[in-house]
């Protein structure tokens, strides 16, 4: 998650102070990825170091305000215009868990899948309920529309995960059935190896 660029996007609307940026970030994303003030100020310090923001005086309550620079606007435009890189996907804990569970002694991988599917479907239902509540109040501002977009992404992601889990279980069932029907290898009789048979074959005389 790019907190860095998210803060730049908020600062493009005008100078903000740290806790104000945190509140607006969480409002825009529905607190899906909550921030703490420490994260915000650490990120602002790095942005200031890189010349993307500057401290811009104080407000009436004495809060230090930050403003985006021209370099920051260029950085933000590049972020909006550049596709998110999928060539190096982030580690997915669920995919790693199932990969490690395959063949692990004492692990019922189908039980692992079923437990995760139950959790995923419940999360999808919760997100769908939140979406229905959001739609009941017709979105009136950009923050509400932004939150609706985040909710829909979470719903689609949960749906895809549930389908993938179904696929994983089907594949495991097919593998199990194939293993059950595979004939047992027959032990080779002593002294019947190819080397011995060749040794007993008389040489032809031309």
């Amino acid at each position: 998650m790019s907190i860095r660029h998210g803060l730049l996007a908020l600062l493009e609307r005008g100078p903000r102070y740290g806790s104000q940026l945190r509140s607006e970030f969480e409002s825009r994303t529905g607190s899906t990825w909550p921030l703490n003030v420490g994260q915000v100020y650490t990120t602002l310090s790095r942005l200031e170091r890189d010349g993307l923001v500057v401290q811009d005086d104080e407000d009436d309550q004495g809060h230090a305000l930050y403003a985006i620079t021209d370099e920051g606007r260029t950085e933000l435009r590049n972020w909006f215009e550049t596709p998110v890189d999928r060539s190096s996907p982030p580690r997915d804990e669920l995919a790693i868990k199932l990969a490690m569970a395959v063949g692990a002694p004492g692990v019922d991988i189908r039980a692992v899948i079923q437990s995760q599917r139950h959790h995923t479907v419940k999360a999808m239902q919760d997100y769908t309920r939140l979406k229905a509540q959001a739609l009941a109040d017709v979105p009136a501002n950009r923050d509400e529309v932004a939150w609706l977009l985040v909710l829909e992404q979470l719903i689609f992601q949960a749906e895809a995960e549930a389908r993938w889990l179904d696929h994983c279980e089907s594949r495991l069932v097919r593998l199990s059935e194939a293993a059950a029907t595979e004939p047992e290898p027959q032990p080779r009789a002593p002294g019947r190896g190819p080397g011995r048979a060749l040794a007993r074959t008389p040489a032809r005389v031309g």
Side-chain angles (χ1 to χ4, degrees), residues 107-162:
V107 176
D108 184 348
I109 189 169
R110 292 186 68 181
V112 174
I113 291 173
Q114 290 169 6
S115 175
Q116 182 64 47
R117 184 191 293 111
H118 175 77
H119 176 81
T120 300
V121 170
K122 183 180 182 305
M124 183 169 57
Q125 291 170 342
D126 291 342
Y127 296 144
T128 303
R129 188 162 45 250
L130 286 172
K131 178 183 175 181
Q133 292 172 0
L135 289 174
D137 302 324
V138 179
N141 59 55
R142 68 182 73 192
D143 286 351
E144 291 171 348
V145 172
W147 167 223
L148 190 59
L149 293 178
V150 171
L151 263 180
E152 289 172 336
Q153 192 270 346
L154 294 172
I155 292 169
F156 293 148
Q157 191 175 54
E159 288 175 343
E161 184 170 284

Side-chain angles (χ1 to χ4, degrees), residues 149-197:
L149 293 178
V150 171
L151 263 180
E152 289 172 336
Q153 192 270 346
L154 294 172
I155 292 169
F156 293 148
Q157 191 175 54
E159 288 175 343
E161 184 170 284
R163 290 197 302 271
W164 177 67
L165 288 167
D166 289 342
H167 167 77
C168 290
E169 187 170 37
S170 297
R171 180 176 292 280
L172 288 169
V173 168
R174 291 195 300 271
L175 289 175
S176 177
E177 291 172 348
T181 58
E182 186 175 329
E184 293 288 333
Q186 297 298 319
R188 180 174 292 165
R192 300 289 293 178
R196 292 178 181 273

